[in-house]
Amino acid sequence: MDHYQASVRSVDDAIARLKSTLAPYSISDVESQCSGTPDPRVRESRNATYFRRSDLRQPLDAAEAKQQGLRWEGLYILECKLSGFEADEEARTEWLQWEDVVIREYAHFPSGFQRDLLCKRMILDGLTQPHICSIEVRMELAKVYRALGYPDLAAGEAYKSLLLIDCMEEPDTADGLQTIAEVEYPLRALSSETRDQAIEFVKTHENDSAENPLTWAIPRACDQPSREVDQDELDFWKDRLYRRLVYIELITCLLLCGDLKAAGVYMNMAFRMYCQCKPLLDLRSNLHAQVSQRLGKPFHSLSKDERNPSDWPSRCLVRREVYPWNDVEPDRTSDLDRINLLMSRVAPKLEVRRVTLPDLTGVAEEGATSQLGVFATQDISPGEVILDESSLLAVNNRLQDSLCDCCSSELPGIGTPGFDAIETCPDCEACFCGESCLEIALDHYHPAVCGLELEASLADPRPEDAAENLYTSLLLRSLAASWTRERMHPLEMDEVRYIWGDFHTLNHGAQFRPVDPEKLGTAFAGFPRTLPWTFEQNLRLPLEMLQKMD
């Protein structure tokens, strides 16, 4: 129990990390948040029908509590239970002040429902920092993403939850130990009576419900003393509740995205344990209907080979956009000084200018779009080299060919000119065309992947997977470069930050349409889907790479 006691003692550190995580979201004119005094301008500027409270130190009355659904109170109680400390008035007041700042961040969104979801996403995302191994937080975040029209992001949180559940079966590892602690803290606050009620609910409804009884059991246990949680009880919640709910959420999101291959694989896994679970049976019927539609024949007429999920369609499309909470993406059209400084180093006769072009996609609000174009500043002779640039983002998927790991140029053969210049990493078998490329690699990306052979697993793919594997290799190189550069955000690197993303230009608030769980066509909240996506290339492989790099 020493590790649990140590975690309790570090709760102040967890709260400090949470505050530092949420601090960047403060609006510049809300300076009094730092002193603990609520700024009245924050509440006065909000829509009065959205979230009214005359005094942050006063609890919600019964009517208002019912109307608002205890949105923020529930999140605060969740934070208390996850961290192993009891709610007190001062800490609760600070939490509600953070709520004011978060609501102010999205005050310009016209839909109160969408605004509420974005605010909840921000706070839950903050909770993932001190509670990175919390299944409860990940699952709540998945539900928020799905309601916002991002089933791909929701699938990511559900998959992380599944990985955490697997970690619980390895209690000797650091991740397993931390995940068990995160699961155990809320359970320790339950009284024996409340625990028995929650267990009885699971036993009674595990085949006909996807409800999590701990979402109502834990808040009721706010003032209960701690109790011990034995291994049998942990195994019960892990296998009879959490794993089942995670499978349901993950498969639901994969079906909404359209990755039938991954949905089928995880459906088979789920059915080995929960073959009589009605929510899973309903999802399986939905899956079979989508497979029949995509393959063009009734499911019952498929051959044994055709019923193998590994051959089902996986490629699908998701939203391509700058997320409302993305504060890293630069304004490319207003950062021309920086762009032209970089351009002058590799193309002294060229410059970048902002141009307005007619929209050809049919989704731009004003029928035109602003883009960046490259223009000549001097006369250019025929055949003249106008741009000469080497990039760290150079990858290949040819396993058997001898190519430089840094620049992907072909390496000289034995006995040919240039062979003696080939350099090898002193700690692994990566080869470079010369000392310059070796130094660049060691300084900018290679230490993060040295000896891991991550790119080898993506080499020599099937022809139909070649393009996706190259994109994944580029992502790996970007992650390795950001990790090596003192863990800089990948989108802040010069090699990445000015790449045109072909994002839609629709207003997030005006375009948003509520997601109807019963209607597949509403899964993306009314936004266009143009970004190619698969579970394997966009989720599983990148997370596996990050795990190996950590």
Side-chain angles (χ1 to χ4, degrees):
M1 297 302 293
D2 291 343
H3 56 277
Y4 297 139
Q5 294 173 358
S7 296
V8 173
R9 287 194 299 269
S10 67
V11 69
D12 289 339
D13 294 337
I15 295 300
R17 289 196 302 272
L18 177 61
K19 290 181 179 179
S20 65
T21 300
L22 294 179
Y25 297 117
S26 301
I27 307 301
S28 59
D29 63 348
V30 191
E31 298 177 352
S32 61
Q33 297 297 331
C34 301
S35 63
T37 302
D39 188 333
R41 292 174 294 173
V42 178
R43 291 192 300 278
E44 292 171 0
S45 66
R46 293 191 312 229
N47 185 335
T49 63
Y50 173 55
F51 204 88
R52 296 170 296 169
R53 183 177 297 136
S54 59
D55 185 353
L56 287 177
R57 294 184 177 274
Q58 295 296 323
L60 295 169
D61 59 36
E64 189 174 14
K66 182 177 181 180
Q67 178 183 1
Q68 301 300 334
L70 289 177
R71 295 184 295 230
W72 311 108
E73 295 286 339
L75 287 173
Y76 172 62
I77 291 174
L78 176 61
E79 160 69 358
C80 291
K81 297 299 102 181
L82 289 170
S83 299
F85 65 90
E86 294 185 359
D88 62 77
E89 190 65 19
E90 181 179 357
R92 174 181 171 277
T93 301
E94 290 186 9
W95 179 273
L96 296 178
Q97 291 168 11
W98 288 334
E99 166 215 323
D100 266 353
V101 176
V102 171
I103 291 176
R104 175 71 175 274
E105 179 77 6
Y106 296 112
H108 61 285
F109 280 80
S111 168
F113 175 70
Q114 182 191 22
R115 190 165 58 235
D116 181 42
L117 288 172
L118 288 169
C119 292
K120 188 175 181 180
R121 188 220 69 85
M122 183 179 285
I123 292 183
L124 284 169
D125 186 63
L127 287 175
T128 62
Q129 307 304 315
H131 305 292
I132 192 172
C133 291
S134 170
I135 299 171
E136 286 278 355
V137 171
R138 296 285 179 193
M139 289 299 289
E140 284 297 310
L141 195 51
K143 294 176 184 177
V144 171
Y145 278 135
R146 182 153 53 89
L148 282 168
Y150 300 104
D152 51 322
L153 302 186
E157 297 302 329
Y159 181 62
K160 293 174 190 175
S161 299
L162 188 60
L163 295 179
L164 291 174
I165 291 173
D166 292 338
C167 285
M168 292 181 66
E169 299 178 352
E170 302 176 355
D172 294 335
T173 65
D175 288 343
L177 198 64
Q178 187 173 353
T179 304
I180 291 173
E182 293 281 9
V183 171
E184 186 178 72
Y185 279 139
L187 297 175
R188 291 177 62 190
L190 293 176
S191 66
S192 297
E193 179 182 1
T194 305
R195 175 203 60 190
D196 293 343
Q197 291 175 353
I199 289 176
E200 183 60 29
F201 180 91
V202 172
K203 291 181 177 179
T204 304
H205 298 286
E206 63 180 331
N207 288 331
D208 59 21
S209 173
E211 182 180 349
N212 181 0
L214 294 182
T215 58
W216 53 261
I218 290 176
R220 290 170 55 191
C222 189
D223 297 324
Q224 296 294 336
S226 297
R227 63 179 183 85
E228 294 298 321
V229 179
D230 59 30
Q231 186 62 45
D232 289 340
E233 184 178 345
L234 278 175
D235 289 341
F236 176 86
W237 297 117
K238 172 174 66 71
D239 295 326
R240 300 285 291 272
L241 179 66
Y242 284 127
R243 192 185 296 275
R244 174 172 54 87
L245 296 184
V246 167
Y247 272 135
I248 292 173
E249 182 67 27
L250 177 58
I251 295 170
T252 297
C253 296
L254 292 173
L255 287 176
L256 292 175
C257 292
D259 190 334
L260 305 185
K261 176 180 177 179
V265 169
Y266 284 100
M267 180 66 75
N268 289 344
M269 293 181 184
F271 254 74
R272 295 190 189 107
M273 299 182 66
Y274 314 106
C275 60
Q276 298 183 18
C277 177
K278 186 178 184 304
L280 283 173
L281 288 170
D282 293 340
L283 287 173
R284 186 174 68 168
S285 298
N286 187 337
L287 172 62
H288 290 176
Q290 288 197 44
V291 171
S292 298
Q293 183 179 15
R294 296 276 286 272
L295 297 184
K297 59 176 71 175
F299 191 84
H300 63 79
S301 66
L302 298 181
S303 65
K304 182 178 180 181
D305 290 339
E306 289 175 323
R307 296 192 180 198
N308 184 351
S310 62
D311 294 326
W312 289 352
S314 61
R315 294 183 183 87
C316 51
L317 298 174
V318 298
R319 292 163 63 172
R320 185 198 298 266
E321 64 184 46
V322 178
Y323 299 129
W325 55 87
N326 183 349
D327 58 357
V328 179
E329 189 73 25
D331 183 356
R332 299 167 64 250
T333 59
S334 62
D335 206 2
L336 292 182
D337 290 342
R338 173 64 178 167
I339 295 175
N340 278 314
L341 175 63
L342 298 173
M343 177 67 81
S344 65
R345 298 172 181 172
V346 297
K349 291 187 177 183
L350 303 179
E351 71 173 4
V352 178
R353 301 174 190 169
R354 177 178 177 175
V355 295
T356 300
L357 300 173
D359 174 60
L360 302 179
T361 65
V363 299
E365 293 181 325
E366 300 178 356
T369 178
S370 293
Q371 299 295 342
L372 300 182
V374 178
F375 296 81
T377 59
Q378 304 175 38
D379 291 338
I380 299 174
S381 303
E384 180 181 353
V385 175
I386 60 173
L387 187 148
D388 185 7
E389 179 185 22
S390 61
S391 174
L392 291 176
L393 301 185
V395 297
N396 66 84
N397 56 11
R398 293 182 290 178
L399 180 61
Q400 304 302 327
D401 293 352
S402 299
L403 302 175
C404 175
D405 186 80
C406 180
C407 67
S408 290
S409 61
E410 187 172 354
L411 297 177
I414 297 177
T416 61
F419 176 77
D420 293 338
I422 294 177
E423 297 284 348
T424 304
C425 172
D427 298 317
C428 71
E429 298 180 356
C431 294
F432 302 88
C433 59
E435 185 177 355
S436 175
C437 274
L438 173 61
E439 292 179 354
I440 292 174
L442 293 178
D443 289 341
H444 292 93
Y445 75 88
H446 190 66
V449 295
C450 183
L452 299 181
E453 298 184 354
L454 294 176
E455 292 182 344
S457 63
L458 298 170
D460 286 350
R462 299 183 304 174
E464 59 268 27
D465 296 330
E468 286 82 357
N469 275 36
L470 276 176
Y471 284 125
T472 305
S473 296
L474 284 170
L475 175 62
L476 170 61
R477 179 64 60 88
S478 300
L479 294 175
S482 67
W483 187 93
T484 304
R485 300 177 191 181
E486 298 182 353
R487 306 203 175 190
M488 172 192 293
H489 195 292
L491 294 181
E492 293 180 328
M493 298 191 303
D494 286 337
E495 295 87 349
V496 174
R497 64 182 293 134
Y498 298 116
I499 295 177
W500 181 50
D502 195 20
F503 306 117
H504 71 71
T505 58
L506 297 172
N507 181 283
H508 283 92
Q511 182 67 20
F512 178 80
R513 302 292 183 270
V515 174
D516 186 343
E518 302 298 325
K519 296 181 180 180
L520 183 63
T522 68
F524 291 86
F527 289 86
R529 302 162 59 183
T530 60
L531 179 66
W533 189 91
T534 67
F535 171 82
E536 178 71 11
Q537 299 286 347
N538 295 80
L539 191 52
R540 193 196 68 80
L541 280 176
L543 282 178
E544 180 182 341
M545 294 172 183
L546 288 172
Q547 285 180 310
K548 291 182 178 180
M549 287 168 54
D550 188 5

